[in-house]
Amino acid sequence: MASHGFWSLGGDNAGANTGSQSPSTPRAWCQAAAQKLSGGFGSKLCALLNVGEVEKPAEPAAEQPPQTAAGSCGCNKSCTCTKGTDVGFSDLYSTDLLPAMDGDTKTMTFLQEVVDILLAYIVESFDRETKVIDFHYPNELLQLNNWELQDEPATLDDILISCRATLKYAIKTAHPRYFNQLSTGLDMVGLAADWLTSTANTNMFTYEVAPVFVLLEYVTLKKMREIIGWSDGRGDGIFSPGGAISNMYAMLLARFKMFPEVKEKGMSSVPRLAAFTSEHSHFSIKKGAAALGIGTESVICIKADECGKLIPADLERRILEAKQKGFVPFFVSATAGTTVYGAFDPLIAISDICRKYNIWFHVDQRCYQYVVGQDTQSTSSLSVCIMHLLTPFRNLK
């Protein structure tokens, strides 16, 4: 039997249809598509393909095989599966999905339902006529939906209901009228990348386990080192889940650079350390000192001017005072864009002071997403906490 190619996606089993048209014809296929696809997409597709003038003749019913047509289920081969048929989720559970036996149809249908919910939410989020948030107080929101974790497993239908409820009462961060100091907007390429990485579900601890993602991490970090000015992207770096831990990593590097024995012998092997940062710096500097056993009292805050910028003269004065008291200055953290004023500390002047007293210089860029790097090729010690600039690493901070 001759293949109808594209039109066979509608099904070749003409004998199972009682309509006046065979589903193998272009017009019938588009009519079916128009019913299945929302937003008039099927009708637009038919118009694009100029369907309706000439129809391909239907194959005789006697020549049809007794199974669903090749390609109607997406298998790209003749099969007897029932993909595309309605699946009820009220009596199905996660254990009915893949890798359960014969779970492919249920899985595809369930995931398509989830995708439809997500796509509808995306379109709605960009609609200026909709609310940024359907706000309810916590006690009201608790009554509107059953958010409690149940002892019994939820059906797939319950899960879909929860998906809709979650998006219904969530803040639409892609809304044109949504503004926030940390995040706004929805990047479609980044969203697609997020879906891709979640689907791959890859741990990135070795190249053997995640060859593509480890390679992408390598080239992205190299590019970021080039952006901040390191020759040929030399050095090293890691992605971290946020700015706070990035600053702590920087302090960890600075301590190890000056006292490598601390790794084996602990804090008892090093003298009393002193770190320096602006009085307008992020709270995570002191938080990191506490976590590393250095102590918050060892973090010395430097005065800022009327614009919120660290005063270099006061920094040098406090370094000399700390040395006279027996402290060992090991770390200076400058801020590129403070959280309140948005001020940029005078990085060059601070760098000169750090070079003069052989102190690790860290720059904390207070932006949405961060990476820590160490320039191992330079004679001076430097780490940078910098906003990521490259798609698709939307969730890496």
Side-chain angles (χ1 to χ4, degrees):
M1 178 183 69
S3 172
H4 292 158
F6 177 79
W7 305 112
S8 67
L9 293 175
D12 288 338
N13 192 355
N17 294 276
T18 58
S20 59
Q21 290 180 326
S22 166
S24 301
T25 65
R27 179 178 295 174
W29 188 93
C30 280
Q31 288 175 347
Q35 294 175 356
K36 293 286 185 181
L37 302 175
S38 61
F41 180 77
S43 300
K44 295 176 182 178
L45 179 62
C46 292
L48 179 65
L49 297 173
N50 297 319
V51 172
E53 297 299 323
V54 180
E55 295 181 352
K56 295 182 180 298
E59 293 291 337
E63 297 183 12
Q64 301 305 311
Q67 66 268 5
T68 305
S72 63
C73 59
C75 296
N76 297 322
K77 62 181 180 179
S78 298
C79 66
T80 58
C81 67
T82 57
K83 294 180 182 179
T85 61
D86 292 334
V87 177
F89 298 120
S90 59
D91 57 349
L92 295 179
Y93 299 87
S94 62
T95 52
D96 294 307
L97 305 178
L98 291 174
M101 184 175 296
D102 299 327
D104 53 346
T105 301
K106 302 181 185 70
T107 299
M108 295 294 292
T109 308
F110 173 72
L111 292 180
Q112 184 61 58
E113 288 285 338
V114 174
V115 170
D116 290 344
I117 293 172
L118 297 178
L119 293 178
Y121 174 77
I122 292 171
V123 173
E124 183 183 10
S125 295
F126 287 92
D127 185 357
R128 293 178 179 270
E129 302 302 320
T130 62
K131 295 180 180 180
V132 175
I133 179 175
D134 185 3
F135 179 79
H136 294 80
Y137 288 102
N139 59 331
E140 297 174 335
L141 196 55
L142 284 172
Q143 296 174 6
L144 289 173
N145 191 69
N146 184 12
W147 308 100
E148 299 292 335
L149 296 177
Q150 305 296 323
D151 293 331
E152 298 299 322
T155 66
L156 298 184
D157 197 37
D158 293 333
I159 294 174
L160 292 174
I161 291 173
S162 295
C163 289
R164 296 186 183 94
T166 299
L167 296 178
K168 174 177 172 59
Y169 301 112
I171 295 178
K172 297 181 178 67
T173 56
H175 198 284
R177 294 191 172 93
Y178 171 78
F179 299 96
N180 185 271
Q181 73 273 22
L182 293 179
S183 62
T184 186
L186 177 61
D187 180 77
M188 294 305 163
V189 176
L191 174 63
D194 201 1
W195 289 359
L196 184 148
T197 53
S198 295
T199 302
N201 193 29
T202 302
N203 290 313
M204 295 180 60
F205 41 78
T206 64
Y207 179 83
E208 289 76 12
V209 172
V212 175
F213 293 109
V214 169
L215 184 62
L216 287 174
E217 181 184 49
Y218 170 78
V219 298
T220 304
L221 288 171
K222 182 175 182 294
K223 183 64 176 180
M224 295 174 74
R225 293 192 294 271
E226 292 174 356
I227 290 173
I228 63 175
W230 291 348
S231 178
D232 299 324
R234 291 182 299 178
D236 203 349
I238 59 172
F239 284 111
S240 63
I245 197 170
S246 294
N247 288 332
M248 189 182 74
Y249 283 161
M251 192 173 289
L252 181 70
L253 290 170
R255 186 179 64 178
F256 181 79
K257 174 75 173 180
M258 186 170 289
F259 301 102
E261 64 271 18
V262 73
K263 181 177 180 180
E264 289 82 17
K265 299 178 180 180
M267 285 297 294
S268 62
S269 65
V270 301
R272 187 78 182 271
L273 302 178
F276 303 85
T277 189
S278 167
E279 60 183 355
H280 288 178
S281 65
H282 195 256
F283 70 89
S284 58
I285 301 298
K286 287 190 174 182
K287 184 178 178 181
L292 295 174
I294 296 170
T296 57
E297 291 185 356
S298 296
V299 178
I300 300 173
C301 293
I302 309 302
K303 292 181 181 179
D305 62 19
E306 65 277 4
C307 295
K309 298 186 292 184
L310 181 147
I311 301 175
D314 190 55
L315 170 63
E316 187 167 17
R317 179 181 68 83
R318 299 301 297 273
I319 289 175
L320 292 174
E321 285 183 358
K323 291 170 71 71
Q324 291 174 356
K325 294 178 181 180
F327 287 82
V328 177
F330 81 108
F331 179 80
V332 172
S333 176
T335 308
T338 57
T339 53
V340 178
Y341 282 75
F344 280 67
D345 291 336
L347 303 182
I348 296 177
I350 297 173
S351 175
D352 292 339
I353 294 173
C354 291
R355 191 182 301 274
K356 179 179 179 180
Y357 294 100
N358 193 29
I359 302 173
W360 183 286
F361 180 33
H362 173 65
V363 180
D364 174 20
Q365 182 176 344
R366 284 283 102 202
C367 296
Y368 309 142
Q369 298 177 330
Y370 305 83
V371 63
V372 170
Q374 178 188 8
D375 185 359
T376 56
Q377 305 297 323
S378 175
T379 56
S380 61
S381 300
L382 172 69
S383 58
V384 179
C385 175
I386 185 173
M387 178 182 70
H388 88 85
L389 302 173
L390 303 177
T391 307
F393 297 97
R394 174 173 167 267
N395 280 334
L396 294 175
K397 295 184 179 182

